[in-house]
Structures are given as structure tokens and as C-alpha cells.
DNA sequence: GGAACATTAATACAAACGTATGACTTATTT
DNA sequence: AAATAAGTCATACGTTTGTATTAATGTTCC
């Protein structure tokens, strides 16, 4: 029933079918969304048989999750790596806000230039993940968010937690929507000076984060990220 | 074949079936998206027959468009009204950036409190509209964007067009994603001090828009809004 | 009151969906 | 070389999809 139930030394065999399926899934799920891309469509684009998908992944959901995590994990790891590297260079001193934001954003830009389809998929899923993905994303993203929040709090000691949380979410929104648009530009081969755009985005978000504190004490509930859409 | 081909003085009759269908569509399309909500689901929630949808709207696409435009139009009109009102009060002097941003954002907050389902629908469609909606949105949004861009340019005369355009887009992104999350909070009856959040968002976006100009001349292509997803 | 129309209702249809199955071919192992 | 496993393939099943069709029921006006 399942591909490697016993023995199976190192998944040596395919390396083609399975990966071609993943690539096709990344591409088509990114463009059409989870509901918009059917298994037959994927199989055709990948040039494999319809049954191959069920064989290698078990179900559409599982394929979707795997497609998403494949790059999401390395992107998050890269984010942490950059931040740690910066903090080592700073030798104990709190990092400037812009630097922290840069560490957060840069991997997304880099990944977007190499894998625009994934960037579409990513934006889709951070915005409105299908229900079965929601927990996965949260679990994968949570440690990341914690670390960056902590770094920002060190850089902005006067800012209340809840306010920073809200502002971070605004920044995420700007980043998210923009990355979606950028992916389509990359897709259409509209080469642009993305380094400039990245700098500009860092400036925008940093300015927002550092803007003056509100006169009245802020009062609101925490907004979860990402929100779960299909829940109702 | 069609409901009011001739005579048909004033569409007097229903006022129930048709509107119940629109309400159900707003609710379910908002939550599940275009692909996620089927005609039978809508009919059941509205408490009407399946055929009624085809009869009153012709097709699923048409129903979707009408559901979207019903509130989108009045929201945009309200935006323009607020801006014009502010400009009259200013008597020729350029408005402060924060004021312009407020006029842009406030109607969305108000609408979100009254019609959270529509807010979900709106965020969905501004982010990744189904292909058949793309042109509609663009046409409806274009004059609005022009007016606000002009007002911002008057407030920020030193800023190059392309930079303002990019920063505006960042702001849109923050607004968009947040409105999606807010809608779900409203849904779950988590009453919060939304006026505070609104102020905070105005502050964030205004700070981003007014942040220092880049040292090097910016160079990039214009990013379209909204981007068309399904196009590839 | 009956003709003309507007609306609702029940049912049918072809297409697309995700998944399951069993036969066939290729690899790997002993 | 035989045997076992891994992978590929064509095909089929049961749902669900959006829409079309046709009959039944209200409603309106002369």
C-alpha cells in the first residue's frame, strides 16, 4: 500500500515523478489555489499518471501540505539564521529596527526571485490557509514570530506588547500582499531592481513600527495570525 | 427567459428571494470563497430553491459580481465623500497625510462593523479576485485611487510618483490583511475598541508614507493593483 | 375571469472532482 | 535466475459541480 513500509534504504528510486509532481503542484496551486487546481490538472502538467499522486502522497491534502512545507521550512530557517548572524555582529547591543525587519523580509524576496510560484502559494496560505493547513502553519511560524518579536521589543523598549503585536501584523500584511504582486511580476519576467524595492519596504515597515506612541492607552484584543478563514 | 424583458414597472415583487440569496452569497462566499461555496449551499442557507439563483442572476459568476458590487460601490462613494468633505474644510490648503489616510480607511472599518461577511469578501477579492472579477474591480477602483493619489501628492510634493505608488500599495496590503482578521473578530463577537485600532492603523500607514526618501534614485516598474491571480 | 406574465419548484444532465483498484512493468534483493 | 518489492498505468466508482428544462403556482391587468 505505502511506498516505503519497510527496508527502503534511502528513497532512491523515483526522484523524478515525485518531484515533478511537487513542482507542478507548487506552480498550479500557487496560481489557482487549492480548490482551483485539480489532480488531473497537476498530473498532466507534471507529465505523470493520475494514480501517481495518490501513490506518492496519499491524498490531495497531503500533497498540498508537503508542497507548502518544502520551501516554507527553509525560508523560515534562513530568517532565523540572518537574525542570529546580525545579533552576533552586534555583540549584545540591541539591533536597529530596520535591521530586524530586513532579516524578516529578505529571505522572502530571495525566495520570490527563485521560486515565484511558491511565493504565490505562500501569500495565499498566510492570508487564507485552507483549514487543514492552519495548524501546520501556526506551528511552523510560531517560534519564528516569538524570536522576532523579542528582538523588536529589545529595540523598542518603550512600546507595549499589544501595540507591537498589532504593528507587526500591519507589517506582515504589507509584506504579504506585496509579495503576491511581486511574484506575478517575476513571473512575467518584468525584471526590476528588486533590491531597491526591498529597501523601500524595509523603510516603510520600520517607519510604521517606530511611529509615535498613541496618546491614549491602547485597548484591543490580540489578532491571531494567520486568521483561519474557512472556520465559519 | 429573463426576468424583466419588457414592461416590468419597478421590480416590485420579490424583495425577499433575491435579497436573501444575496445575503447568503455574501456570507458564504466571504467565508468559503468563490470556489468553496456551491449553489446548493447558497440556496439552502437562503431558504430558497436551487433554480431561484439561476432565475434571478443567470449564473454563479453574475451572482458573485452583484454580491460584491452591492456594498463595494457605496463604500467607495463614502470614501470620496469623506475626502471631499475634508478638502472643503481645509479651504485650499493641502490636507495632512494622516487625514487623507483616515478618509481611505474609515469607511472600511465602518462597513466591517456592520457587514463583517462583506469585509471577508472584500479582502478576498482585492487580494486575489477570480479572473472574471478583475476588470470589474479595476474599473470601480481606478477613479478612487486617482483622487487619493492626487491628494497625497499634494501633501507630499517632494515625493516621486513611483515611490508614492509603491508606498500606497504597501499601505493597501496592511489594510487588506488586517481587515480580513478584523472581520473574523467581529464575527466572533469579540467586541474591541476598534476606534483605537483604526487610529493605530492610520498612524502606521501615515508614518510609512512619510518616511524619509531613499538616498539612491528609485527604479522599478509599477505594480498593478489588484494583481490578477488566475491569469497564468 | 381569463390572458399574460413573474416566480417557485422538482428534476435531469453532462462534466469534473478525489480516490480506489488491479494489472502491468521496472528495480532491487537473495 | 527467481522472487519480492516499487512504481506506473488505464480505468472505474460514487459525489458534487453549475446549469437547463419543464411543470406548477402566484400575481397583475384588461
Amino acid at each position: 500500500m505505502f511506498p516505503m513500509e519497510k527496508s527502503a534504504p534511502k528513497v532512491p528510486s523515483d526522484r523524478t515523478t515525485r518531484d515533478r509532481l511537487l513542482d507542478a503542484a507548487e506552480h498550479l496551486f500557487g496560481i489557482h489555489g487549492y480548490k482551483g487546481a485539480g489532480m488531473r490538472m497537476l498530473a498532466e502538467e507534471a507529465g505523470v499518471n493520475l494514480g501517481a499522486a495518490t501513490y506518492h502522497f496519499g491524498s490531495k491534502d497531503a500533497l498540498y501540505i508537503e508542497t507548502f512545507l518544502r520551501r516554507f521550512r527553509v525560508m523560515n530557517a534562513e530568517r532565523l539564521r540572518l537574525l542570529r548572524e546580525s545579533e552576533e555582529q552586534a555583540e549584545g547591543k540591541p539591533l536597529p529596527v530596520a535591521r530586524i525587519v530586513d532579516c524578516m523580509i529578505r529571505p522572502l524576496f530571495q525566495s520570490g526571485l527563485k521560486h515565484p510560484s511558491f511565493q504565490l502559494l505562500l501569500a495565499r496560505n498566510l492570508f487564507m490557509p485552507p483549514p487543514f493547513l492552519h495548524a501546520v502553519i501556526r506551528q511552523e511560524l510560531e517560534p519564528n514570530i516569538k524570536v522576532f518579536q523579542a528582538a523588536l521589543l529589545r529595540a523598542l523598549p518603550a512600546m507595549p506588547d499589544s501595540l507591537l503585536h498589532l504593528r507587526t501584523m500591519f507589517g506582515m500584511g504589507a509584506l504579504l500582499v506585496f509579495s503576491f504582486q511581486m511574484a506575478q511580476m517575476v513571473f512575467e519576467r518584468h525584471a526590476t531592481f528588486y533590491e531597491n524595492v526591498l529597501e523601500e519596504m524595509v523603510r516603510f515597515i520600520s517607519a510604521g513600527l517606530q511611529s509615535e506612541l498613541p496618546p491614549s492607552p491602547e485597548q484591543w484584543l490580540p489578532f491571531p495570525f494567520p486568521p483561519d478563514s474557512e472556520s465559519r
Side-chain angles (χ1 to χ4, degrees), chain A residues 19 46 96 126 195 207 215 231:
Chain A
D19 288 354
L126 290 189
E195 183 67 26
S231 66

Side-chain angles (χ1 to χ4, degrees), chain A residues 2-151:
Chain A
F2 289 105
M4 20 178 175
E5 197 81 340
K6 60 191 310 195
S7 77
K10 45 176 176 159
V11 202
S13 37
D14 46 334
R15 179 71 216 152
T16 39
T17 300
R18 195 186 144 90
D19 288 354
R20 284 221 303 245
L21 222 29
L22 278 174
D23 291 341
E26 180 172 283
H27 184 203
L28 294 176
F29 281 143
I31 292 164
H32 298 111
Y34 174 71
K35 290 245 164 78
M39 298 302 279
R40 292 155 224 273
M41 202 191 287
L42 300 190
E44 194 184 358
E45 161 132 343
V48 307
N49 189 273
L50 174 59
T54 322
Y55 176 74
H56 286 282
F57 299 95
S59 72
K60 190 188 181 183
D61 291 14
L63 167 58
Y64 193 78
I65 294 179
E66 195 140 340
T67 306
F68 176 71
L69 284 183
R70 171 169 68 149
R71 299 204 200 285
F72 189 56
R73 286 216 168 103
V74 327
M75 208 193 71
N76 282 338
E78 174 69 2
R79 278 210 253 247
L80 289 181
R81 194 188 67 75
L82 285 183
L83 184 62
R84 191 163 18 206
E85 191 179 285
S86 295
E87 272 174 340
E88 279 170 13
Q89 284 179 10
E91 293 169 355
K93 281 182 274 294
L95 291 171
V97 172
R99 185 62 186 265
I100 303 172
V101 173
D102 189 285
C103 294
M104 188 83 188
I105 294 184
R106 187 171 293 274
L108 198 131
F109 265 71
Q110 286 168 174
S111 156
L113 286 176
K114 254 195 265 180
H115 310 291
S117 313
F118 172 71
Q119 187 120 332
L120 292 183
L121 189 67
L122 177 67
R124 260 183 210 284
N125 287 326
L126 290 189
F127 196 176
M128 354 187 182
F132 64 86
L133 237 188
H134 194 259
V136 179
I137 293 182
R138 240 198 160 68
Q139 178 189 331
E140 208 72 25
L141 206 54
E142 201 191 56
N144 224 282
I145 289 184
K146 268 209 189 111
V147 172
F148 274 90
Q149 287 272 41

Side-chain angles (χ1 to χ4, degrees), chain A residues 149 153 158-170 213-214 216-223:
Chain A
Q149 287 272 41
L153 265 182
M159 184 164 307
D161 250 52
S162 63
L163 182 58
L164 178 62
H165 181 249
L166 187 66
R167 289 188 176 181
T168 305
M169 251 199 31
F170 292 157
L213 298 181
S216 60
E218 73 290 340
Q219 299 184 43
W220 52 76
L221 295 171
F223 293 81

